[in-house]
Amino acid sequence: HLAALTEELAPLAALRAEHEALQQLYAASSHRAGLHAKLEAARAALADLDQRLAALPTTPQLEAARSAASAARAAANAAAEQAEEKRTIWVRDLQDATTKRQALLDQYADLQEQLDRITAAGQDGACPTCSRPLGKDFEPVLAVLGRQLEEVKFNGKFYRQRLDQLEEEPLEVRELERQREQAEAAAEAASAALSRLEAP
């Protein structure tokens, strides 16, 4: 019986060797299939990168966008400086006219008070500068004060008109402000375009 079993089991060693060889071939085939899948994925990734690289801006495009952004920013800065300069001149003129008109109003009030005081005191009243009785100088002093009042009134009207002219922001200042806003918008647009090109 043992001899019969030994005879039946004789091909078992060859079958085991064949099985081992088939297992190794299967493992190699699985490994090869995995490598092939990785290779295909790498090829797909490379094709995607090639597409993305083709979509990237060229160096001349980037340089042109940088130049455009720089020029737009410089133009915006220049427009802002010019608008600010004109606004400063306008504000300074307005403040100057206001100050001068107020000084004239104060001077007018002072002269009017002197005139009223001298007129009320008459010829026996004191001179506003030397404090002596006016006497025969009464009329000439009144005439001088009257001329001074007229001069101050004339100058006051001039500065009142000047204030009326300067009350509203000048058209030139408004136009320069509009140009500044447009230049700022153009600079922001150029900067955004450059950022979009540089991002990839």
Side-chain angles (χ1 to χ4, degrees), residues 25-58:
L25 286 173
Y26 175 75
S29 174
S30 294
H31 182 67
R32 188 169 161 206
L35 289 175
H36 183 71
K38 285 181 182 178
L39 182 62
E40 288 303 314
R43 283 185 180 142
L46 189 59
D48 182 51
L49 284 174
D50 284 341
Q51 260 187 334
R52 288 170 62 192
L53 278 172
L56 287 177
T58 63

Side-chain angles (χ1 to χ4, degrees), residues 67-140:
S67 295
S70 178
R73 177 52 47 204
N77 289 340
E81 284 177 22
Q82 192 176 12
E84 187 58 34
E85 182 182 327
K86 291 294 182 185
R87 178 178 298 283
T88 301
I89 291 170
W90 168 62
V91 169
R92 187 179 61 228
D93 287 349
L94 182 62
Q95 288 174 343
D96 184 51
T98 303
T99 302
K100 286 182 178 173
R101 183 160 190 277
Q102 187 58 51
L104 287 168
L105 287 172
D106 295 343
Q107 186 181 2
Y108 185 84
D110 185 46
L111 288 170
Q112 188 65 53
E113 181 190 347
Q114 284 182 32
L115 184 65
D116 292 345
R117 196 172 62 242
I118 291 170
T119 304
Q123 291 186 350
D124 297 329
C127 174
T129 54
C130 64
S131 300
R132 289 183 295 176
L134 288 170
K136 62 182 171 112
D137 293 328
F138 178 71
E139 291 299 327

Side-chain angles (χ1 to χ4, degrees), residues 94 97-98 100-101 104-105 153-167:
L94 182 62
T98 303
K100 286 182 178 173
R101 183 160 190 277
L104 287 168
L105 287 172
K153 194 185 293 186
F154 176 79
N155 289 336
K157 284 180 183 176
F158 169 78
Y159 281 105
R160 175 70 257 164
Q161 290 172 349
R162 185 75 178 128
L163 281 173
D164 289 343
Q165 289 172 349
L166 293 170
E167 187 176 359

